[in-house]
Amino acid sequence: MAYIASELAYSPGYFGDLIHKATGGTAIGYIHNYVINQAKSLLMSGYNVNETSRLLGFEYPHHFTRLFKRINGVTPIEFLKK
């Protein structure tokens, strides 16, 4: 979140306040949802879990899988089987 705020020339606190006012949620929640939506698109385009996690900047695929499951209730593999 600090990186995105700095790229926009905002303080992290101000950026968080803007996101909260616009969405009613937290900035990190908004970022996580954005990343997971990008992940869904990549997975449905034929990328595997390892490729998707790498493209989205995750150092370890299991961190990506854990976030994906927390947001969607299913793992990326289970998502692809649906």
Side-chain angles (χ1 to χ4, degrees), residues 2-70:
Y3 171 77
I4 293 170
S6 70
E7 288 295 308
L8 297 171
Y10 295 140
S11 72
Y14 182 68
F15 176 67
D17 288 346
L18 287 175
I19 295 294
H20 182 71
K21 286 177 187 172
T23 68
T26 64
I28 198 69
Y30 180 81
I31 293 166
H32 284 168
N33 285 328
Y34 178 82
V35 168
I36 294 306
N37 285 332
Q38 294 300 309
K40 288 178 182 179
S41 294
L42 291 168
L43 291 166
M44 291 179 359
S45 295
Y47 289 94
N48 67 37
V49 174
N50 288 335
E51 292 167 332
T52 300
S53 68
R54 182 182 48 78
L55 288 170
L56 294 173
F58 287 86
E59 188 172 353
Y60 302 106
H62 65 274
H63 290 166
F64 163 69
T65 298
R66 188 180 313 139
L67 177 64
F68 193 97
K69 184 171 184 176
R70 188 172 47 125

Side-chain angles (χ1 to χ4, degrees), residues 71-82:
I71 302 256
N72 291 303
V74 295
T75 66
I77 303 248
E78 292 167 338
F79 170 78
L80 286 172
K81 289 180 181 176
K82 286 185 177 184

